[in-house]
Amino acid sequence: LVLAIGLVVDDAIVVLENIFRHIEAGLSPFQAALKGAREIGFAVVAMTLTLAAVFAPLAFTPGRTGRLFVEFALTLAGAVVVSGFVALTLTPMMCSKLLRHVDQPTRFDRWMERLLTGLEAGYAGALRLALKARWAVVALMLTAAGLSAWLFMGAKSELAPVEDRGVIFMPVNAPDGATLDFTARYLDEVDRIAATHPEFDRRFIFSGGGNVASGTAILRTVDWDQRQRSTREIAQALLPQVSALPGVQAFPSTPPSLGQGFGSRPINFVIVTSDSYANLAKVSQQFLAEMAKNPGLVQPDTDLRLNKPEIFMEVDRERAADLGVAVDAVARTVETMLGSRVVTRYKRDAEQYDVMVQTEAAERSTPEQIERLFVRGRNDAMIPLSSLVKVRETVSPRELNHFNQRRSVAITANLAPGYALGEALQFMDATAAKLLPSGYATELNGVSREYKSASGALGLVFVLALLFIFLVL
């Protein structure tokens, strides 16, 4: 708003000063208004379009950055255009009605006139000097541009500063194959640790979000005026406490500023390839080892898990057929007794209850207990599964991700205080150039992708603004 006020009055001041100059020279206010506006009309139009060309391209920046600046850019560009229109229409008319030649200037008028005359003479002298030493002026301009580029390249950069939004989000991951009770037990420990920090007045913690081996803690703080530490400082204090918990990984973090998901981490570096997932996992582990050497990257992790425990059950189909047992009956029995099944509902006192069939927890805690289940065969004979199936334990991938239709692994990390996102991505690119074999490529996702896109677009906007200004002037 302050910037717009300065821009809006600028055009009108230029027109008013030129009209008043002609009034001082002896023209009538009406003639001075016509002549003064006509003399600098094209210059005002050029100045207006130049300023609009500086701000308007910001509205076309893609992504969240563009959405953040679109109102700023269009408001200022619109205000400048309106100010140019007013300066060439309303301002001359008001000057013809309100301005008058002063025959007897006051002492203040004379003092101000001497001041402005001296300022004008000084400016004219400096202008003559600059025109005599054109190459020195050009050299000074190029030096300033070079220093600006050098400072820009050396400055730390990020997508947006982290805000204190009064909440800390903490995903908790247990080992693959962990039970819901195991995860819940460690989430209770997370809750106990969070309770030791007086800044938290509300704690919402749940397990089983997505899979039973994961959980989430959402910690809300008291109002800003009731605490001394920011959420980022509290998260830093929480990190060593939750990192000391054996068996789980917890990542306390503050939510991103530009509307990304609560669980998104600043570094989201994707490795893509057509190679096997086994080789991709080896490469990702080498990448994590290099990241662990960088103190600016906190708790690096990968989404490629190839060792999720799995129970493989092989049915002897010939023997099952001899005993009159269908294969789908075996699968349905295991599903019902281990995973539960709603078989009916009953109502009592205006309440409806599900009737669920499931084996007691103590009878479904080991793989060997699957073979103790029975299935109905020919002539209603009860056949133990031990005579029909072979059970063996193995491992399998938790999930196999793709990015742009290629096999991928996403490597994520948080940033240490004082370590900028731009620095981190430069480190990741350098590590990729050193480690990745032929056939592997890298991509960015999440906050990292948004940062890269906004950085590239900002340079294009700057070049376009310079081009428009040159063409207008």
Side-chain angles (χ1 to χ4, degrees), residues 220-273:
R220 294 284 303 184
T221 65
V222 296
D223 290 338
W224 290 271
D225 56 355
Q226 299 178 28
R227 52 186 167 93
Q228 300 297 321
R229 297 188 296 176
S230 67
T231 51
R232 192 162 192 176
E233 292 171 334
I234 301 171
Q236 293 170 14
L238 277 171
L239 180 59
Q241 293 179 289
V242 297
S243 298
L245 292 175
V248 295
Q249 290 181 320
F251 311 102
S253 62
T254 54
S257 302
L258 291 183
Q260 293 90 356
F262 276 103
S264 60
R265 307 175 82 187
I267 297 298
N268 195 328
F269 199 78
V270 183
I271 302 175
V272 295
T273 184

Coordinates of all heavy atoms in Angstrom, one line a residue, residues 220-273:
R220 N -0.1 -29.0 19.8 CA -0.5 -27.6 19.7 C 0.1 -26.9 20.9 O 0.1 -27.3 22.0 CB -2.0 -27.5 19.7 CG -2.8 -28.1 18.5 CD -2.6 -27.2 17.3 NE -3.1 -25.8 17.5 CZ -3.2 -24.9 16.6 NH1 -2.8 -25.2 15.4 NH2 -3.7 -23.7 16.9
T221 N 0.5 -25.6 20.7 CA 1.1 -24.8 21.7 C 0.2 -23.8 22.2 O -0.9 -23.5 21.6 CB 2.4 -24.1 21.2 OG1 2.0 -23.2 20.2 CG2 3.4 -25.1 20.6
V222 N 0.5 -23.2 23.3 CA -0.3 -22.1 23.9 C 0.0 -20.8 23.0 O 0.8 -20.9 22.1 CB 0.1 -21.8 25.3 CG1 -0.2 -22.9 26.2 CG2 1.6 -21.4 25.4
D223 N -0.7 -19.8 23.2 CA -0.6 -18.6 22.4 C 0.8 -18.0 22.5 O 1.6 -18.3 23.5 CB -1.6 -17.5 22.9 CG -3.0 -17.8 22.5 OD1 -3.2 -18.6 21.6 OD2 -3.9 -17.3 23.2
W224 N 1.2 -17.2 21.5 CA 2.6 -16.7 21.4 C 3.0 -15.9 22.6 O 4.2 -16.0 23.0 CB 2.7 -15.9 20.1 CG 2.6 -16.7 18.9 CD1 3.7 -17.3 18.2 CD2 1.5 -17.0 18.1 NE1 3.2 -17.9 17.1 CE2 1.9 -17.8 17.0 CE3 0.1 -16.7 18.3 CZ2 0.9 -18.3 16.1 CZ3 -0.8 -17.2 17.3 CH2 -0.4 -17.9 16.3
D225 N 2.1 -15.1 23.2 CA 2.5 -14.3 24.3 C 2.6 -15.1 25.6 O 2.9 -14.5 26.6 CB 1.4 -13.1 24.4 CG 0.0 -13.6 24.6 OD1 -0.2 -14.9 24.5 OD2 -0.9 -12.8 24.8
Q226 N 2.3 -16.4 25.6 CA 2.4 -17.2 26.8 C 3.6 -18.1 26.8 O 3.7 -19.0 27.7 CB 1.1 -18.0 27.0 CG -0.2 -17.1 27.1 CD -1.4 -18.0 27.2 OE1 -1.4 -19.1 27.7 NE2 -2.6 -17.5 26.7
R227 N 4.4 -18.0 25.8 CA 5.6 -18.8 25.8 C 6.8 -18.0 25.3 O 6.7 -17.0 24.6 CB 5.4 -20.0 24.9 CG 4.9 -19.7 23.5 CD 4.6 -21.0 22.7 NE 3.8 -20.8 21.5 CZ 4.4 -20.6 20.3 NH1 5.7 -20.7 20.2 NH2 3.6 -20.4 19.2
Q228 N 8.0 -18.5 25.7 CA 9.3 -17.9 25.4 C 9.9 -18.5 24.1 O 10.7 -17.8 23.5 CB 10.2 -17.9 26.5 CG 9.7 -17.3 27.8 CD 9.5 -15.8 27.7 OE1 10.2 -15.1 27.0 NE2 8.4 -15.3 28.2
R229 N 9.7 -19.7 23.8 CA 10.3 -20.4 22.7 C 9.4 -20.5 21.5 O 8.2 -20.6 21.6 CB 10.7 -21.8 23.1 CG 11.8 -21.9 24.3 CD 12.3 -23.3 24.5 NE 11.2 -24.2 25.0 CZ 11.4 -25.5 25.2 NH1 12.6 -26.0 24.9 NH2 10.4 -26.2 25.6
S230 N 10.0 -20.5 20.3 CA 9.2 -20.7 19.1 C 9.0 -22.2 18.9 O 9.7 -23.0 19.5 CB 10.0 -20.1 17.9 OG 11.2 -20.8 17.7
T231 N 8.1 -22.5 18.0 CA 7.9 -23.9 17.7 C 9.1 -24.6 17.1 O 9.4 -25.8 17.4 CB 6.7 -24.1 16.7 OG1 7.0 -23.2 15.5 CG2 5.4 -23.7 17.3
R232 N 10.0 -23.8 16.4 CA 11.2 -24.4 15.8 C 12.2 -24.8 16.9 O 12.8 -25.8 16.9 CB 11.8 -23.5 14.8 CG 12.9 -24.1 14.0 CD 13.2 -23.4 12.7 NE 14.0 -24.1 11.8 CZ 14.4 -23.7 10.6 NH1 14.0 -22.6 10.2 NH2 15.2 -24.5 9.9
E233 N 12.3 -23.9 17.9 CA 13.1 -24.2 19.1 C 12.6 -25.3 19.9 O 13.4 -26.2 20.4 CB 13.3 -22.9 19.9 CG 14.0 -21.8 19.3 CD 13.9 -20.5 20.1 OE1 12.9 -20.3 20.8 OE2 14.8 -19.6 19.9
I234 N 11.3 -25.4 20.0 CA 10.7 -26.6 20.8 C 11.0 -27.9 20.0 O 11.3 -28.9 20.6 CB 9.2 -26.4 21.0 CG1 9.0 -25.1 21.8 CG2 8.6 -27.5 21.7 CD1 7.5 -24.7 21.9
A235 N 10.8 -27.8 18.7 CA 11.1 -29.0 17.9 C 12.6 -29.5 18.0 O 12.8 -30.7 18.0 CB 10.7 -28.7 16.4
Q236 N 13.5 -28.5 18.0 CA 14.9 -28.9 18.2 C 15.1 -29.5 19.6 O 16.0 -30.4 19.7 CB 15.8 -27.6 18.1 CG 15.8 -27.0 16.6 CD 16.4 -25.7 16.6 OE1 17.1 -25.2 17.5 NE2 16.2 -25.0 15.5
A237 N 14.4 -29.0 20.6 CA 14.5 -29.6 21.9 C 13.9 -31.0 22.0 O 14.4 -31.9 22.7 CB 13.9 -28.7 23.0
L238 N 12.9 -31.3 21.2 CA 12.2 -32.6 21.1 C 13.1 -33.6 20.4 O 13.0 -34.8 20.7 CB 10.9 -32.5 20.5 CG 9.7 -32.0 21.3 CD1 8.5 -31.7 20.4 CD2 9.3 -33.1 22.4
L239 N 13.8 -33.2 19.4 CA 14.5 -34.1 18.5 C 15.4 -35.1 19.2 O 15.3 -36.3 19.0 CB 15.3 -33.3 17.4 CG 16.0 -34.2 16.4 CD1 15.1 -35.1 15.7 CD2 16.8 -33.3 15.4
P240 N 16.3 -34.7 20.1 CA 17.2 -35.7 20.8 C 16.4 -36.6 21.7 O 16.8 -37.7 21.9 CB 18.2 -34.8 21.5 CG 17.6 -33.5 21.7 CD 16.7 -33.3 20.5
Q241 N 15.3 -36.1 22.3 CA 14.5 -36.9 23.2 C 13.8 -38.0 22.4 O 13.8 -39.2 22.9 CB 13.5 -36.0 23.9 CG 14.1 -35.0 24.9 CD 13.0 -34.1 25.5 OE1 12.4 -33.3 24.9 NE2 12.8 -34.4 26.8
V242 N 13.2 -37.7 21.3 CA 12.4 -38.8 20.6 C 13.4 -39.6 19.8 O 13.1 -40.8 19.5 CB 11.4 -38.2 19.7 CG1 10.3 -37.5 20.5 CG2 12.0 -37.2 18.6
S243 N 14.6 -39.1 19.4 CA 15.6 -39.9 18.7 C 16.1 -41.0 19.6 O 16.6 -42.0 19.1 CB 16.7 -39.0 18.2 OG 16.2 -38.1 17.2
A244 N 16.1 -40.7 20.9 CA 16.6 -41.7 21.8 C 15.7 -42.9 22.0 O 16.1 -43.9 22.7 CB 16.9 -41.1 23.2
L245 N 14.5 -42.8 21.5 CA 13.5 -44.0 21.7 C 14.0 -45.1 20.8 O 14.1 -45.0 19.6 CB 12.1 -43.5 21.3 CG 11.4 -42.5 22.2 CD1 10.1 -42.1 21.6 CD2 11.2 -43.1 23.6
P246 N 14.2 -46.3 21.4 CA 14.7 -47.4 20.5 C 13.5 -48.0 19.7 O 12.4 -48.1 20.2 CB 15.2 -48.4 21.6 CG 14.4 -48.2 22.8 CD 14.1 -46.7 22.8
G247 N 13.8 -48.4 18.5 CA 12.8 -49.2 17.8 C 11.9 -48.3 16.9 O 11.2 -48.9 16.0
V248 N 11.9 -47.0 17.0 CA 11.0 -46.2 16.2 C 11.8 -45.0 15.7 O 12.8 -44.6 16.3 CB 9.7 -45.7 16.9 CG1 8.8 -46.9 17.3 CG2 10.1 -44.9 18.2
Q249 N 11.3 -44.4 14.7 CA 11.9 -43.1 14.2 C 10.8 -42.0 14.2 O 9.7 -42.2 13.7 CB 12.4 -43.3 12.7 CG 13.6 -44.1 12.5 CD 14.0 -44.2 11.1 OE1 13.2 -44.3 10.2 NE2 15.3 -44.2 10.8
A250 N 11.2 -40.9 14.9 CA 10.2 -39.8 15.0 C 10.9 -38.5 14.5 O 12.1 -38.3 14.7 CB 9.8 -39.6 16.5
F251 N 10.1 -37.7 13.8 CA 10.6 -36.5 13.1 C 9.8 -35.3 13.5 O 8.8 -35.0 12.8 CB 10.5 -36.7 11.6 CG 11.1 -38.0 11.1 CD1 10.3 -39.0 10.7 CD2 12.5 -38.2 11.0 CE1 10.8 -40.2 10.2 CE2 13.0 -39.4 10.5 CZ 12.2 -40.4 10.1
P252 N 10.1 -34.7 14.6 CA 9.4 -33.4 14.9 C 9.7 -32.3 13.9 O 10.9 -32.1 13.7 CB 9.9 -33.1 16.3 CG 11.2 -33.7 16.4 CD 11.1 -35.0 15.6
S253 N 8.7 -31.7 13.4 CA 8.9 -30.6 12.4 C 7.8 -29.6 12.5 O 6.7 -29.9 12.9 CB 9.0 -31.2 11.0 OG 7.8 -31.8 10.7
T254 N 8.1 -28.4 12.0 CA 7.1 -27.4 11.9 C 6.5 -27.4 10.5 O 7.2 -27.7 9.6 CB 7.7 -26.0 12.2 OG1 8.8 -25.8 11.4 CG2 8.1 -25.9 13.6
P255 N 5.2 -27.1 10.4 CA 4.6 -27.2 9.0 C 5.2 -26.2 8.1 O 5.6 -25.1 8.5 CB 3.1 -27.0 9.3 CG 3.1 -26.3 10.6 CD 4.3 -26.7 11.4
P256 N 5.3 -26.5 6.8 CA 5.7 -25.6 5.8 C 4.8 -24.3 5.7 O 3.7 -24.4 6.1 CB 5.7 -26.4 4.5 CG 5.7 -27.8 4.9 CD 5.0 -27.8 6.2
S257 N 5.4 -23.3 5.2 CA 4.7 -22.0 5.2 C 3.7 -21.8 4.1 O 2.8 -21.0 4.2 CB 5.7 -20.8 5.2 OG 6.6 -20.9 6.3
L258 N 3.9 -22.4 2.9 CA 3.1 -22.1 1.8 C 2.0 -23.2 1.4 O 1.7 -23.4 0.3 CB 4.0 -21.9 0.5 CG 4.9 -20.7 0.6 CD1 5.7 -20.6 -0.7 CD2 4.1 -19.4 0.8
G259 N 1.5 -23.8 2.5 CA 0.4 -24.7 2.3 C 0.7 -26.1 1.9 O -0.2 -26.9 1.5
Q260 N 2.0 -26.5 1.9 CA 2.2 -27.9 1.6 C 1.7 -28.8 2.8 O 1.3 -28.3 3.8 CB 3.8 -28.2 1.5 CG 4.4 -27.5 0.3 CD 4.8 -26.1 0.5 OE1 4.7 -25.6 1.6 NE2 5.5 -25.5 -0.5
G261 N 1.7 -30.1 2.6 CA 1.1 -31.0 3.6 C 2.0 -31.0 4.9 O 3.2 -30.7 4.8
F262 N 1.3 -31.3 6.0 CA 2.0 -31.3 7.3 C 3.2 -32.2 7.3 O 4.2 -31.9 7.9 CB 1.0 -31.6 8.4 CG 0.2 -30.5 8.9 CD1 -1.1 -30.4 8.5 CD2 0.7 -29.5 9.7 CE1 -1.9 -29.3 9.0 CE2 0.0 -28.5 10.2 CZ -1.3 -28.4 9.8
G263 N 3.0 -33.3 6.6 CA 4.1 -34.3 6.6 C 5.2 -34.1 5.6 O 6.2 -34.9 5.6
S264 N 5.1 -33.1 4.8 CA 6.2 -32.8 3.8 C 7.4 -32.3 4.4 O 7.4 -31.5 5.3 CB 5.6 -31.9 2.7 OG 5.3 -30.6 3.3
R265 N 8.6 -32.8 3.9 CA 9.9 -32.4 4.5 C 10.6 -31.5 3.4 O 10.3 -31.6 2.2 CB 10.7 -33.6 4.8 CG 10.0 -34.5 5.8 CD 10.8 -35.8 6.0 NE 11.8 -35.6 7.0 CZ 12.7 -36.5 7.3 NH1 12.8 -37.6 6.7 NH2 13.6 -36.3 8.3
P266 N 11.4 -30.6 3.9 CA 12.0 -29.6 2.9 C 12.8 -30.3 1.8 O 12.7 -29.9 0.6 CB 13.0 -28.8 3.8 CG 12.5 -28.9 5.1 CD 11.8 -30.3 5.2
I267 N 13.6 -31.4 2.1 CA 14.3 -32.1 1.1 C 13.5 -33.3 0.6 O 13.1 -34.1 1.4 CB 15.7 -32.6 1.6 CG1 16.5 -31.4 2.0 CG2 16.4 -33.4 0.6 CD1 16.9 -30.5 0.9
N268 N 13.2 -33.3 -0.7 CA 12.5 -34.4 -1.3 C 13.1 -34.7 -2.6 O 12.8 -34.1 -3.6 CB 11.0 -34.1 -1.4 CG 10.2 -35.4 -1.7 OD1 10.6 -36.3 -2.3 ND2 8.9 -35.4 -1.3
F269 N 14.2 -35.5 -2.6 CA 15.0 -35.8 -3.7 C 14.7 -37.2 -4.3 O 14.8 -38.2 -3.5 CB 16.5 -35.7 -3.3 CG 17.5 -35.5 -4.4 CD1 17.7 -34.3 -4.9 CD2 18.2 -36.6 -4.8 CE1 18.6 -34.1 -5.9 CE2 19.2 -36.4 -5.8 CZ 19.4 -35.2 -6.4
V270 N 14.3 -37.2 -5.5 CA 13.9 -38.5 -6.1 C 14.9 -39.0 -7.1 O 15.4 -38.3 -8.0 CB 12.5 -38.3 -6.9 CG1 12.0 -39.6 -7.4 CG2 11.5 -37.7 -5.9
I271 N 15.3 -40.3 -6.9 CA 16.2 -41.0 -7.9 C 15.3 -41.9 -8.7 O 14.6 -42.7 -8.2 CB 17.2 -41.8 -7.1 CG1 18.1 -40.8 -6.2 CG2 18.2 -42.5 -8.1 CD1 19.1 -41.6 -5.4
V272 N 15.4 -41.8 -10.1 CA 14.6 -42.6 -11.0 C 15.6 -43.4 -11.9 O 16.7 -43.0 -12.2 CB 13.7 -41.7 -11.8 CG1 12.7 -41.0 -11.0 CG2 14.5 -40.7 -12.6
T273 N 15.1 -44.6 -12.2 CA 15.9 -45.5 -13.1 C 15.0 -46.6 -13.6 O 13.8 -46.8 -13.2 CB 17.0 -46.1 -12.2 OG1 17.8 -46.9 -13.1 CG2 16.4 -47.0 -11.1

